[in-house]
Amino acid sequence: MAKRANGSEKNRKEPLPGVARRLWAFSGNECAWGDPTCSTRLVTEEGAWVGKIAHIIGAEPGSARHEAWDGKDAEQLRDFDNLMLLCGVHHDLIDSSVTRHNYPVAYLRAVKQRHEARYRYTVDDIEAEFSDTVSGSQVRPATTMRRFFAWEGADQDPSDEQYVLELVNRFAGRVGGLTRMARQVLALVVHERTTDFPLVLRRFSAHRDELLSVVRELQKAQMVYLHDEVDDEDRGQLSLLSGALEGLDEMWDALRGFCRDESVDVKEILVDLDFSRLD
């Protein structure tokens, strides 16, 4: 535990477990600064992390806005509501002894709330659908889908984008509930559009009854359907169903096109459950 020179404990510690993840999920990979908005990416195209976690109420005596602390629960100083993600410039601006007085607690809380509201997919839904592991797998949700929306080229209202984001993340939760083999079959059918049952048997070196069990799992999830050829399952075809997409009927084609044009392996999304590839 961190100590001051005089032996007393320091208030400034690492964020509470899960807090950094929530800050990132609601950041949209952008500095939270507003008025005017700062579009600095927190992770650069080269993959470098340039964001900084800033305290609204400073944790240590003499730090920015520390005088606003009621002196009771030091843990609150490293909890979600007291932290925000900023670029290096704005982080230093609000903490500098020269400029900190321009940025009171109420102002910074409003900046944080306004920015995070654009990207918030409710904490309860995120925890329910993505923090828990299903069959040993963990889903990484999309946080903005900006890459997908840019590829799509549609000039959508932010509220419409948020609506699509929430639907896709609910769909991601359903995919996470499938067995790994079912996700592998789903990825193959999405990639091929329509797939012969015998081809899938050969691809997976699967026993017929095992594959039929996987197909039934996918049919129940309203994702894939086996069209029998004259009631002969061994000559049937696997086709996509859109029931699990909740009104996003064109999403299968869009996902296929996005992966092709953006050089993303559809298996990374549907098998490895990394829906952040859409961001």
Side-chain angles (χ1 to χ4, degrees), residues 225-249:
Y225 180 71
L226 175 61
H227 299 270
D228 300 344
E229 186 171 324
V230 194
D231 296 325
D232 185 355
E233 291 171 328
D234 291 342
R235 298 178 62 188
Q237 289 188 324
L238 296 174
S239 299
L240 293 165
L241 292 170
S242 59
L245 292 172
E246 295 186 282
L248 299 176
D249 294 348

PDB file of all heavy atoms in Angstrom, residues 225-249:
ATOM      1  N   TYR A 225     -30.510 -22.353 -40.764  1.00  0.00           N
ATOM      2  CA  TYR A 225     -31.566 -23.327 -41.035  1.00  0.00           C
ATOM      3  C   TYR A 225     -31.074 -24.348 -42.053  1.00  0.00           C
ATOM      4  O   TYR A 225     -30.365 -23.997 -43.005  1.00  0.00           O
ATOM      5  CB  TYR A 225     -32.810 -22.625 -41.580  1.00  0.00           C
ATOM      6  CG  TYR A 225     -33.961 -23.550 -41.885  1.00  0.00           C
ATOM      7  CD1 TYR A 225     -34.678 -24.153 -40.858  1.00  0.00           C
ATOM      8  CD2 TYR A 225     -34.326 -23.822 -43.207  1.00  0.00           C
ATOM      9  CE1 TYR A 225     -35.733 -25.004 -41.123  1.00  0.00           C
ATOM     10  CE2 TYR A 225     -35.393 -24.664 -43.485  1.00  0.00           C
ATOM     11  CZ  TYR A 225     -36.090 -25.263 -42.436  1.00  0.00           C
ATOM     12  OH  TYR A 225     -37.124 -26.096 -42.698  1.00  0.00           O
ATOM     13  N   LEU A 226     -31.425 -25.621 -41.847  1.00  0.00           N
ATOM     14  CA  LEU A 226     -31.060 -26.689 -42.778  1.00  0.00           C
ATOM     15  C   LEU A 226     -32.235 -26.972 -43.700  1.00  0.00           C
ATOM     16  O   LEU A 226     -33.286 -27.424 -43.260  1.00  0.00           O
ATOM     17  CB  LEU A 226     -30.672 -27.965 -42.010  1.00  0.00           C
ATOM     18  CG  LEU A 226     -30.390 -29.204 -42.874  1.00  0.00           C
ATOM     19  CD1 LEU A 226     -29.222 -28.945 -43.831  1.00  0.00           C
ATOM     20  CD2 LEU A 226     -30.089 -30.420 -41.988  1.00  0.00           C
ATOM     21  N   HIS A 227     -32.034 -26.682 -44.974  1.00  0.00           N
ATOM     22  CA  HIS A 227     -33.053 -26.976 -45.977  1.00  0.00           C
ATOM     23  C   HIS A 227     -32.806 -28.381 -46.509  1.00  0.00           C
ATOM     24  O   HIS A 227     -31.812 -28.625 -47.196  1.00  0.00           O
ATOM     25  CB  HIS A 227     -32.979 -25.962 -47.134  1.00  0.00           C
ATOM     26  CG  HIS A 227     -33.227 -24.551 -46.696  1.00  0.00           C
ATOM     27  ND1 HIS A 227     -34.483 -23.993 -46.674  1.00  0.00           N
ATOM     28  CD2 HIS A 227     -32.379 -23.590 -46.254  1.00  0.00           C
ATOM     29  CE1 HIS A 227     -34.401 -22.740 -46.246  1.00  0.00           C
ATOM     30  NE2 HIS A 227     -33.135 -22.472 -45.981  1.00  0.00           N
ATOM     31  N   ASP A 228     -33.706 -29.312 -46.181  1.00  0.00           N
ATOM     32  CA  ASP A 228     -33.558 -30.686 -46.666  1.00  0.00           C
ATOM     33  C   ASP A 228     -33.878 -30.760 -48.151  1.00  0.00           C
ATOM     34  O   ASP A 228     -34.757 -30.048 -48.649  1.00  0.00           O
ATOM     35  CB  ASP A 228     -34.496 -31.637 -45.923  1.00  0.00           C
ATOM     36  CG  ASP A 228     -34.219 -31.636 -44.427  1.00  0.00           C
ATOM     37  OD1 ASP A 228     -33.146 -31.150 -44.040  1.00  0.00           O
ATOM     38  OD2 ASP A 228     -35.080 -32.095 -43.667  1.00  0.00           O
ATOM     39  N   GLU A 229     -33.151 -31.615 -48.853  1.00  0.00           N
ATOM     40  CA  GLU A 229     -33.445 -31.859 -50.257  1.00  0.00           C
ATOM     41  C   GLU A 229     -34.214 -33.170 -50.354  1.00  0.00           C
ATOM     42  O   GLU A 229     -33.641 -34.252 -50.206  1.00  0.00           O
ATOM     43  CB  GLU A 229     -32.159 -31.938 -51.086  1.00  0.00           C
ATOM     44  CG  GLU A 229     -32.424 -32.050 -52.591  1.00  0.00           C
ATOM     45  CD  GLU A 229     -31.148 -31.912 -53.391  1.00  0.00           C
ATOM     46  OE1 GLU A 229     -30.277 -31.127 -52.992  1.00  0.00           O
ATOM     47  OE2 GLU A 229     -31.032 -32.603 -54.414  1.00  0.00           O
ATOM     48  N   VAL A 230     -35.523 -33.051 -50.542  1.00  0.00           N
ATOM     49  CA  VAL A 230     -36.419 -34.213 -50.591  1.00  0.00           C
ATOM     50  C   VAL A 230     -36.236 -35.032 -49.320  1.00  0.00           C
ATOM     51  O   VAL A 230     -36.019 -36.252 -49.356  1.00  0.00           O
ATOM     52  CB  VAL A 230     -36.176 -35.068 -51.848  1.00  0.00           C
ATOM     53  CG1 VAL A 230     -37.327 -36.048 -52.063  1.00  0.00           C
ATOM     54  CG2 VAL A 230     -35.985 -34.212 -53.080  1.00  0.00           C
ATOM     55  N   ASP A 231     -36.283 -34.324 -48.180  1.00  0.00           N
ATOM     56  CA  ASP A 231     -36.183 -34.960 -46.859  1.00  0.00           C
ATOM     57  C   ASP A 231     -34.894 -35.741 -46.664  1.00  0.00           C
ATOM     58  O   ASP A 231     -34.835 -36.678 -45.865  1.00  0.00           O
ATOM     59  CB  ASP A 231     -37.390 -35.892 -46.620  1.00  0.00           C
ATOM     60  CG  ASP A 231     -38.697 -35.125 -46.578  1.00  0.00           C
ATOM     61  OD1 ASP A 231     -38.676 -33.989 -46.070  1.00  0.00           O
ATOM     62  OD2 ASP A 231     -39.708 -35.650 -47.072  1.00  0.00           O
ATOM     63  N   ASP A 232     -33.864 -35.396 -47.387  1.00  0.00           N
ATOM     64  CA  ASP A 232     -32.563 -36.048 -47.235  1.00  0.00           C
ATOM     65  C   ASP A 232     -31.587 -35.034 -46.651  1.00  0.00           C
ATOM     66  O   ASP A 232     -31.054 -34.177 -47.359  1.00  0.00           O
ATOM     67  CB  ASP A 232     -32.056 -36.555 -48.585  1.00  0.00           C
ATOM     68  CG  ASP A 232     -30.751 -37.344 -48.450  1.00  0.00           C
ATOM     69  OD1 ASP A 232     -30.205 -37.398 -47.327  1.00  0.00           O
ATOM     70  OD2 ASP A 232     -30.284 -37.887 -49.470  1.00  0.00           O
ATOM     71  N   GLU A 233     -31.375 -35.109 -45.336  1.00  0.00           N
ATOM     72  CA  GLU A 233     -30.539 -34.121 -44.657  1.00  0.00           C
ATOM     73  C   GLU A 233     -29.118 -34.096 -45.207  1.00  0.00           C
ATOM     74  O   GLU A 233     -28.474 -33.054 -45.271  1.00  0.00           O
ATOM     75  CB  GLU A 233     -30.511 -34.405 -43.150  1.00  0.00           C
ATOM     76  CG  GLU A 233     -31.843 -34.154 -42.463  1.00  0.00           C
ATOM     77  CD  GLU A 233     -31.845 -34.652 -41.029  1.00  0.00           C
ATOM     78  OE1 GLU A 233     -31.147 -35.649 -40.767  1.00  0.00           O
ATOM     79  OE2 GLU A 233     -32.536 -34.055 -40.207  1.00  0.00           O
ATOM     80  N   ASP A 234     -28.618 -35.263 -45.631  1.00  0.00           N
ATOM     81  CA  ASP A 234     -27.243 -35.334 -46.100  1.00  0.00           C
ATOM     82  C   ASP A 234     -27.033 -34.590 -47.414  1.00  0.00           C
ATOM     83  O   ASP A 234     -25.902 -34.363 -47.835  1.00  0.00           O
ATOM     84  CB  ASP A 234     -26.812 -36.793 -46.269  1.00  0.00           C
ATOM     85  CG  ASP A 234     -26.687 -37.508 -44.924  1.00  0.00           C
ATOM     86  OD1 ASP A 234     -26.603 -36.809 -43.903  1.00  0.00           O
ATOM     87  OD2 ASP A 234     -26.672 -38.747 -44.901  1.00  0.00           O
ATOM     88  N   ARG A 235     -28.105 -34.203 -48.080  1.00  0.00           N
ATOM     89  CA  ARG A 235     -27.975 -33.459 -49.337  1.00  0.00           C
ATOM     90  C   ARG A 235     -28.533 -32.040 -49.211  1.00  0.00           C
ATOM     91  O   ARG A 235     -28.702 -31.338 -50.197  1.00  0.00           O
ATOM     92  CB  ARG A 235     -28.716 -34.206 -50.459  1.00  0.00           C
ATOM     93  CG  ARG A 235     -28.163 -35.600 -50.738  1.00  0.00           C
ATOM     94  CD  ARG A 235     -28.986 -36.289 -51.811  1.00  0.00           C
ATOM     95  NE  ARG A 235     -28.936 -35.575 -53.084  1.00  0.00           N
ATOM     96  CZ  ARG A 235     -29.692 -35.882 -54.147  1.00  0.00           C
ATOM     97  NH1 ARG A 235     -30.566 -36.869 -54.057  1.00  0.00           N
ATOM     98  NH2 ARG A 235     -29.573 -35.187 -55.264  1.00  0.00           N
ATOM     99  N   GLY A 236     -28.813 -31.642 -47.977  1.00  0.00           N
ATOM    100  CA  GLY A 236     -29.421 -30.336 -47.735  1.00  0.00           C
ATOM    101  C   GLY A 236     -28.413 -29.199 -47.739  1.00  0.00           C
ATOM    102  O   GLY A 236     -27.205 -29.398 -47.877  1.00  0.00           O
ATOM    103  N   GLN A 237     -28.929 -28.003 -47.567  1.00  0.00           N
ATOM    104  CA  GLN A 237     -28.099 -26.801 -47.521  1.00  0.00           C
ATOM    105  C   GLN A 237     -28.380 -26.010 -46.252  1.00  0.00           C
ATOM    106  O   GLN A 237     -29.507 -25.962 -45.768  1.00  0.00           O
ATOM    107  CB  GLN A 237     -28.363 -25.909 -48.739  1.00  0.00           C
ATOM    108  CG  GLN A 237     -27.834 -26.462 -50.049  1.00  0.00           C
ATOM    109  CD  GLN A 237     -27.950 -25.439 -51.169  1.00  0.00           C
ATOM    110  OE1 GLN A 237     -28.902 -24.672 -51.223  1.00  0.00           O
ATOM    111  NE2 GLN A 237     -26.967 -25.418 -52.054  1.00  0.00           N
ATOM    112  N   LEU A 238     -27.330 -25.380 -45.749  1.00  0.00           N
ATOM    113  CA  LEU A 238     -27.450 -24.514 -44.584  1.00  0.00           C
ATOM    114  C   LEU A 238     -27.563 -23.067 -45.062  1.00  0.00           C
ATOM    115  O   LEU A 238     -26.732 -22.596 -45.836  1.00  0.00           O
ATOM    116  CB  LEU A 238     -26.233 -24.667 -43.675  1.00  0.00           C
ATOM    117  CG  LEU A 238     -26.028 -26.048 -43.037  1.00  0.00           C
ATOM    118  CD1 LEU A 238     -24.714 -26.092 -42.272  1.00  0.00           C
ATOM    119  CD2 LEU A 238     -27.180 -26.376 -42.109  1.00  0.00           C
ATOM    120  N   SER A 239     -28.611 -22.399 -44.600  1.00  0.00           N
ATOM    121  CA  SER A 239     -28.830 -21.001 -44.963  1.00  0.00           C
ATOM    122  C   SER A 239     -29.021 -20.176 -43.697  1.00  0.00           C
ATOM    123  O   SER A 239     -29.327 -20.718 -42.628  1.00  0.00           O
ATOM    124  CB  SER A 239     -30.066 -20.860 -45.863  1.00  0.00           C
ATOM    125  OG  SER A 239     -29.898 -21.586 -47.063  1.00  0.00           O
ATOM    126  N   LEU A 240     -28.856 -18.874 -43.828  1.00  0.00           N
ATOM    127  CA  LEU A 240     -28.933 -17.974 -42.685  1.00  0.00           C
ATOM    128  C   LEU A 240     -30.366 -17.578 -42.369  1.00  0.00           C
ATOM    129  O   LEU A 240     -31.178 -17.355 -43.265  1.00  0.00           O
ATOM    130  CB  LEU A 240     -28.106 -16.719 -42.953  1.00  0.00           C
ATOM    131  CG  LEU A 240     -26.596 -16.941 -43.035  1.00  0.00           C
ATOM    132  CD1 LEU A 240     -25.918 -15.730 -43.648  1.00  0.00           C
ATOM    133  CD2 LEU A 240     -26.019 -17.224 -41.652  1.00  0.00           C
ATOM    134  N   LEU A 241     -30.663 -17.474 -41.079  1.00  0.00           N
ATOM    135  CA  LEU A 241     -31.918 -16.928 -40.584  1.00  0.00           C
ATOM    136  C   LEU A 241     -31.625 -15.579 -39.929  1.00  0.00           C
ATOM    137  O   LEU A 241     -30.527 -15.357 -39.410  1.00  0.00           O
ATOM    138  CB  LEU A 241     -32.556 -17.864 -39.556  1.00  0.00           C
ATOM    139  CG  LEU A 241     -33.079 -19.214 -40.069  1.00  0.00           C
ATOM    140  CD1 LEU A 241     -33.448 -20.108 -38.891  1.00  0.00           C
ATOM    141  CD2 LEU A 241     -34.289 -19.007 -40.964  1.00  0.00           C
ATOM    142  N   SER A 242     -32.590 -14.703 -39.923  1.00  0.00           N
ATOM    143  CA  SER A 242     -32.366 -13.363 -39.367  1.00  0.00           C
ATOM    144  C   SER A 242     -33.142 -13.110 -38.082  1.00  0.00           C
ATOM    145  O   SER A 242     -33.162 -11.993 -37.584  1.00  0.00           O
ATOM    146  CB  SER A 242     -32.736 -12.292 -40.398  1.00  0.00           C
ATOM    147  OG  SER A 242     -34.096 -12.421 -40.784  1.00  0.00           O
ATOM    148  N   GLY A 243     -33.758 -14.158 -37.530  1.00  0.00           N
ATOM    149  CA  GLY A 243     -34.586 -13.965 -36.347  1.00  0.00           C
ATOM    150  C   GLY A 243     -33.836 -13.410 -35.154  1.00  0.00           C
ATOM    151  O   GLY A 243     -34.385 -12.644 -34.362  1.00  0.00           O
ATOM    152  N   ALA A 244     -32.537 -13.767 -35.023  1.00  0.00           N
ATOM    153  CA  ALA A 244     -31.754 -13.313 -33.876  1.00  0.00           C
ATOM    154  C   ALA A 244     -31.252 -11.886 -34.031  1.00  0.00           C
ATOM    155  O   ALA A 244     -30.698 -11.315 -33.094  1.00  0.00           O
ATOM    156  CB  ALA A 244     -30.562 -14.247 -33.657  1.00  0.00           C
ATOM    157  N   LEU A 245     -31.467 -11.296 -35.207  1.00  0.00           N
ATOM    158  CA  LEU A 245     -30.929  -9.964 -35.474  1.00  0.00           C
ATOM    159  C   LEU A 245     -31.891  -8.837 -35.136  1.00  0.00           C
ATOM    160  O   LEU A 245     -31.555  -7.659 -35.287  1.00  0.00           O
ATOM    161  CB  LEU A 245     -30.506  -9.865 -36.943  1.00  0.00           C
ATOM    162  CG  LEU A 245     -29.307 -10.738 -37.308  1.00  0.00           C
ATOM    163  CD1 LEU A 245     -29.082 -10.734 -38.811  1.00  0.00           C
ATOM    164  CD2 LEU A 245     -28.052 -10.248 -36.607  1.00  0.00           C
ATOM    165  N   GLU A 246     -33.107  -9.159 -34.728  1.00  0.00           N
ATOM    166  CA  GLU A 246     -34.058  -8.157 -34.214  1.00  0.00           C
ATOM    167  C   GLU A 246     -34.242  -6.951 -35.146  1.00  0.00           C
ATOM    168  O   GLU A 246     -34.044  -5.806 -34.750  1.00  0.00           O
ATOM    169  CB  GLU A 246     -33.609  -7.652 -32.847  1.00  0.00           C
ATOM    170  CG  GLU A 246     -33.618  -8.689 -31.762  1.00  0.00           C
ATOM    171  CD  GLU A 246     -33.296  -8.074 -30.414  1.00  0.00           C
ATOM    172  OE1 GLU A 246     -32.120  -7.809 -30.157  1.00  0.00           O
ATOM    173  OE2 GLU A 246     -34.226  -7.858 -29.634  1.00  0.00           O
ATOM    174  N   GLY A 247     -34.604  -7.204 -36.380  1.00  0.00           N
ATOM    175  CA  GLY A 247     -34.878  -6.089 -37.274  1.00  0.00           C
ATOM    176  C   GLY A 247     -33.710  -5.661 -38.131  1.00  0.00           C
ATOM    177  O   GLY A 247     -33.853  -4.814 -39.012  1.00  0.00           O
ATOM    178  N   LEU A 248     -32.524  -6.228 -37.878  1.00  0.00           N
ATOM    179  CA  LEU A 248     -31.359  -5.918 -38.709  1.00  0.00           C
ATOM    180  C   LEU A 248     -31.205  -7.008 -39.765  1.00  0.00           C
ATOM    181  O   LEU A 248     -30.180  -7.683 -39.852  1.00  0.00           O
ATOM    182  CB  LEU A 248     -30.093  -5.820 -37.845  1.00  0.00           C
ATOM    183  CG  LEU A 248     -30.094  -4.751 -36.758  1.00  0.00           C
ATOM    184  CD1 LEU A 248     -28.823  -4.824 -35.928  1.00  0.00           C
ATOM    185  CD2 LEU A 248     -30.228  -3.366 -37.378  1.00  0.00           C
ATOM    186  N   ASP A 249     -32.225  -7.166 -40.587  1.00  0.00           N
ATOM    187  CA  ASP A 249     -32.276  -8.282 -41.523  1.00  0.00           C
ATOM    188  C   ASP A 249     -31.112  -8.293 -42.504  1.00  0.00           C
ATOM    189  O   ASP A 249     -30.728  -9.352 -43.009  1.00  0.00           O
ATOM    190  CB  ASP A 249     -33.598  -8.250 -42.314  1.00  0.00           C
ATOM    191  CG  ASP A 249     -34.799  -8.508 -41.410  1.00  0.00           C
ATOM    192  OD1 ASP A 249     -34.577  -8.919 -40.255  1.00  0.00           O
ATOM    193  OD2 ASP A 249     -35.938  -8.300 -41.863  1.00  0.00           O
TER     194      ASP A 249
END
